[in-house]
Each structure stands twice: as C-alpha cells, then as structure tokens.
Amino acid sequence: MRRLAARAFARVLGDDDAPLMRALQDDDPTTVAWGAYGLGESCGGHEGAHVRALASRLASLEGGTPGGALDPQVAIVRALGRCGGELAEHTLRAALSLAASHANEAAAYALGDIAAHRGSMSAESAVALLDAAERSPPLDAALYAFGRSDPPAVADLARRLGAAARAALARPGATRVFAVRVLGRAGDATADLARVLAANDYSPPERVEAARALGHVRETEQTALAQAIGAILVDGAASASGDRFEVLLTALGAVSDDPPGPSEAVLSSVARMGLASGAPAPAARRVSSLRCAAAQKLARGAWDAPILVSCDIADGAASERARLAALDRGSLVKARSAAFVALARGSPHVRVREAAVEAIGRHPELAEAGRALLVDALGAREAGVVATAATVLATHPDRSYLNPTRVSSRSRPPADVDPRITEALRGALDSRWGPDLVETRAALLDAALALGLDEARARATDACGDPNATVRARAAKALVAAGFACPPPGASGLPSDEAAPEIGRTLARPVRVVFETDAGALGISFDPALAPVAATRFVALARSGFYTLVTVHRVVPGFVVQLGDRGGDGFGGSGGLLRCETSPVPFAPLDVGVALAGRDTGSSQVFVTLGRFPSLDGEYAWVGRADGDWNAVAEGDSVQRVRVEE
C-alpha cells in the first residue's frame, strides 16, 4: 500500500511534497524510488530542499542492494538531474563512482540532462565523465552527456574525448551509439563515421547516427558520405528492404542540397533505381522514397525538374514531398506560387497538405494565396490540418492580415484580419472535436487569442477549467500572452475525468499482440506492471480491431516507430484520453511507451524505441516490450492484421 500511495503521489505532482519526502525515507526500495521520482518531477520552485533530501538519501543507500526495475539509487540520481543546480551536479559527479553499475550509469545520464538544460557542461563535470569513460572497466554511458552539449573547448579534453569515443566503437552494446554521436561532433572523425555507416556489423541506429553526422557541407564529409552510400547499394531495389532502407534514406537526406561532383553519380544511380515487375506496393513505396530523396538533391531546388517529377513509382506521396521541399527553398511567387497552391489544395495525402500549410508561416510573400489556403485548412475535416493552420495563425498572426505592412506588431485589431479567416476560425472553434484531439483544441484557442477574436478570452477562460491538464496549461499560457490570466479554481476544485473503466479490471499479466505489417510480423507484449490502465486499454483496442489497417505514421530512423492513429497523421486517437502513468524506469531498445502531446494526452498511440535514449526515461509511460525487426518498418507501412495471444 505504501508503494501504491507513493506511486500515486509521484504522478499527481501536487503542491504538497510531504508525502513524497516520507516515501523517500521509507525502508522499502521501491517506495523510495517512487518518492525520488516524484520529487524530481516536481522540483521546480523547490530545488534546494529536494536536492538536499535526495543527496542525503543517496548517501545513506551507498552499498545497498539494488531494487530491481525500480532501483532507488537510479531513481534518485535521475531526479537530481531533473532538479539541476550546483549541489545536484556535485553529487552526481561523486555518484559516477558508485559501486552499483546501474547507478553510476544513471549518474552519467543525469549529468547529460543538466548539460542539455543548461546548453553547456562545466569543466569539472567534463573531467569527471572523461575519467569514468577511461577507467577500467570503462563507463561508455559517460559519453552520453557530450552528445547533448557543445564539445569541450579545451584541446586536451577534446583529444581525450575523441580517444574515448574511438575506443568505445570496439565495444558493441546499447551505449555504443553515444560514441558515434560524440564522433559526429568531432572535426576529424570522417573516416570513423564512414566506416560505421558502410559496415553491416554496426546496428541500424548507429549507422543512422553516422549518416546524420556526415551531413556537413565540407567536401571531405560529402565525399565519404557518397562512398558509403555506394557501399550500401547492394543490389538495386534490394537496398530498399529490411533495416538498410532507413539507413540509406537518412544518408541521402544528409547529402548537401547542392551536392558536389563525387555525389552526383551515386545520387543518379539511386534516382533511377529499378523495381521488379509485380513488386508489392510497400516495396514500390520504399523505392520511390529513395528515388525521390536522391532526385530532390539533384534537382537543386528546381521543383519542376523532370527527374523530380518522375521519381515516384508508387502513390505519389514521395514525389509531392520532394517537390514541396524544393518549392520551400525559394520565394513562392508566380509559377512557384501556383505550383505550391496546387500541392496544398490538391494533394490526396494529408501529410503533404499539412506540410504545405505549415510552410505558409515561412512565406509571407504568398499574401492572398496564403490566406485562402488557411481558410481552406481551417475548414478541413482532418484534425491535423486544422491544428496546423491554427498553429500558423498563432505564431504568425500577420499571415491573416489584409494589409500586414500597415499593422503594428503590437496592435492586432480584428478589423485588419481577413474576415474569411475569422469566420473559418469561429467555425473550427464551434466544431465538436473529440476529447483526445487536444492539439487541435489547444491550437485553436491560441489562434483565437492571437487574432483578437471577441469571444477568444471567454473561450480560453472556460478552457482554464477543462478536464485535461494540457488544455488547461495551454489556455493559461495563451491568456498570459494576451495580457490576461486564468481565474482561480472554484470551491469544488478543478474538474476531473470519470474513473477509467479499466480500473478494477486491469490485465493480470503481460499479453502479447502480434501486428502483421508490411515489414513482417512484429510483436508487443503489453505489461500492466507500471501502467495497468494504459496496457489494458491497448490490448482491448487490439481485440476490437482498432489497429487493423492502421498506418505507421511516424518513423524517426534509429529513434522510434510510432503508430495508433487511424487518421494517419499522428493527431488522432481512439476517442478517449489516458491519464499519464509515467514511471522512473529506463527506455531500453525495443521498449514500448505511450505517445503523448502533453500531460494526460495519451489515447491509442504507442511508440517503440529503436535505441537507447535516456531523454525518454521518466517522461513517458512504459507499457511493455517489442519483438521483431522494428528497424525494418518504414513510414507509411500498414498493419494488415492483428492477433492477440490469449
């Protein structure tokens, strides 16, 4: 019961930290871990007291027995990283020498959290981390922090860092990717990175990191990149299969927009890659993505280049994205403006239309054409298109002005806003968006306040009492930006959602769900241990057929694969929200989490991690483990069938 109470307080994040302080002093390791996690998450405004309590408890646990998945030492050091400050950093440097390997690894990650938040690393922390990376046995996790901040300015430290990263390349494991990332920031690691990219004995996430790192404009990197791409091209379309596809696609994206001579031959080879007659649609889609990525580089911004127009041999999405990227590189006037409008209005692919609407914010020269596109987008039936248009208006309100050059940046009277946009925005605000479409609802509020709609303040004030925490937070932020504030909660407090129907009927044990996809059979074992409501919800959705024919809408090579939105653009869910069930556990490769767009915004989307990314730890609900070659999944792949192993 103490464990459950500590877990609840850690997730509620209320103003009273006394229950979490009591949990931190408990004699049960799991209760301590939950108390530490909650204190780290609620550190804002309490840094001094929380850091002192965490540091003291860590000292008392040194040499103790690890606590399994919820290790108290690991939870405490990661909480110190979230709090930050000089005392926290000093404590974490000492923690690099803790006897427990998981604890000193976590200390390295926590120092990385501090460096990322600050934007730089102190000399003392850099030395301590390098000492840990060079000791025997070496702590390869110590390299993580150097990939999240500027490289050391001191020549001796930079030399030591490069040597430690090169030594780590010889040690396979989940932390080797940090060495690749460090070498990507070094100025003399081209040969090492090219070797990683071209060699099959490195993992796909490591090869993807190497490809990104080689994406510099210097000729040496570009030449090495072209040579590595040539080495990956095994047998034409065969390079578009398996986990080679995402590696090759990333490498093509890293080629300069004005490719040097040595790159042109290999780009031409990819742009004309063939496909066997009768090949399935997923293979055609992958080959088209590669062909168009290469053609986009060869076109050098010419949106109507023949090689770009003819690169797609599938459904046209790859060609449209490439042409849109080419148009985005220059001023959208005359023929370029007409081509842009045609893509924004006529594309059958929702992601292309959303990308076009987003680009309006970067192109004020569109003027009337841009306003007309925003009107259309606000009236779209897809929640993602509406949210994208609203975000453009909130961040660039001048895109709605009839005479933007005559309007002061500090004065945005409604009379200067195109009345068509005002009418369309009101219509979108009046639409009945589902509770899980939080991004759309919040973006519309932001836009209404930015454009000065008469009813905007009243709508935002109502949203201050919304059941969803993210909507409340966005409403409060938008009101402050407009010079107002949310009213304080009434006597009954903030409204709350009805209890999740899964409570009392949660899974008793992990359940494996098999997704038959275009990339093969892939499994997820949903585990109720840490997120019982979410795990139970996902299994129920799988049983209901919800995930059948769902498209994988997001793939970040080497990072995550995300699915669960039937609309296919990542803005939708199942119609109901999930409250956050985050926990202080690490996300290892092939761990599964609940996709979020803010607090309590989970619904039906899940992500599968492809590598070790400590920045995810504690930020998302861990719901299980995946199996199968998830690195072979491509954006746009479909789930053909779903099977629940009862």
Side-chain angles (χ1 to χ4, degrees), residues 10 86 90 104 123 127 194 209 244 281 286 288 318 335 344 350 364 372 381 402 493 512 522 545 551 592 642:
E86 291 186 9
H90 175 79
N104 53 48
V127 170
E209 283 289 346
R244 286 191 300 265
R286 282 168 165 77
S288 294
V350 64
R381 63 177 182 273
L402 292 170
R512 184 169 182 264
L522 304 169
T551 298
V592 183
V642 177

Side-chain angles (χ1 to χ4, degrees), residues 151-170:
V154 180
D156 181 59
L157 294 182
R159 178 191 57 77
R160 290 177 61 190
L161 178 60
R166 287 185 174 89
L169 283 183

Side-chain angles (χ1 to χ4, degrees), residues 252-499:
L252 291 169
V255 173
S256 169
D257 286 337
D258 188 14
S263 301
E264 289 191 356
V266 71
L267 289 174
S268 296
S269 177
V270 177
R272 293 173 173 82
M273 181 182 291
L275 186 65
S277 177
R285 184 164 27 81
R286 282 168 165 77
V287 169
S288 294
S289 295
L290 296 176
R291 285 167 53 109
C292 292
Q296 181 184 331
K297 302 297 182 178
L298 292 170
R300 290 179 168 84
W303 60 272
D304 54 352
I307 195 170
L308 194 58
V309 174
S310 62
C311 65
D312 200 319
I313 55 176
D315 59 3
S319 175
E320 288 187 350
R321 287 190 183 193
R323 289 163 56 206
L324 184 62
L327 287 164
D328 198 17
R329 288 182 59 182
S331 182
L332 297 179
V333 295
K334 299 181 179 179
R336 295 176 65 87
S337 175
F340 178 84
V341 170
L343 273 177
R345 279 212 174 106
S347 173
H349 306 287
V350 64
R351 301 294 291 274
V352 172
R353 300 203 325 268
E354 287 169 357
V357 172
E358 182 184 9
I360 295 172
R362 298 186 291 271
H363 292 279
E365 71 276 9
L366 282 169
E368 158 62 22
R371 295 198 300 274
L373 288 175
L374 288 170
V375 170
D376 291 346
L378 288 171
R381 63 177 182 273
E382 298 94 346
V385 176
V386 176
T388 304
T391 300
V392 169
L393 289 169
T395 53
H396 301 280
D398 57 300
R399 300 297 182 268
S400 70
Y401 298 160
L402 292 170
N403 297 292
T405 58
R406 299 180 185 177
V407 181
S408 167
S409 60
R410 296 186 179 183
S411 174
R412 305 186 181 103
D416 293 303
V417 175
D418 190 322
R420 297 173 302 168
I421 287 183
T422 302
E423 182 181 357
L425 182 56
R426 286 195 173 106
L429 284 164
D430 290 335
S431 296
R432 297 180 61 85
W433 302 107
D436 56 335
L437 299 176
V438 172
E439 290 179 272
T440 304
R441 295 162 57 204
L444 288 169
L445 282 176
D446 291 343
L449 282 165
L451 300 192
L453 263 64
D454 293 336
E455 66 272 34
R457 181 180 174 186
R459 287 180 181 271
T461 301
D462 289 343
C464 290
D466 194 272
N468 182 263
T470 294
V471 173
R472 294 198 302 271
R474 288 283 292 273
K477 183 178 180 180
L479 280 170
V480 168
F484 307 108
C486 277
S492 60
L494 292 171
S496 61
D497 297 328
E498 295 181 3

Side-chain angles (χ1 to χ4, degrees), residues 50-127:
H50 286 199
V51 169
R52 287 192 295 271
L54 291 164
S56 175
R57 191 67 175 105
L58 180 64
S60 72
L61 290 173
E62 190 167 358
T65 304
L70 291 170
D71 186 292
Q73 289 181 313
V74 170
I76 289 174
V77 296
R78 293 308 299 271
L80 286 167
R82 284 178 168 78
C83 289
E86 291 186 9
L87 177 58
E89 193 169 0
H90 175 79
T91 305
L92 290 170
R93 288 197 293 267
L96 289 171
S97 301
L98 286 171
S101 60
H102 289 308
N104 53 48
E105 185 175 284
Y109 296 148
L111 285 169
D113 294 338
I114 292 177
H117 180 73
R118 186 189 295 156
S120 62
M121 188 188 306
S122 67
E124 295 83 359
S125 292
V127 170

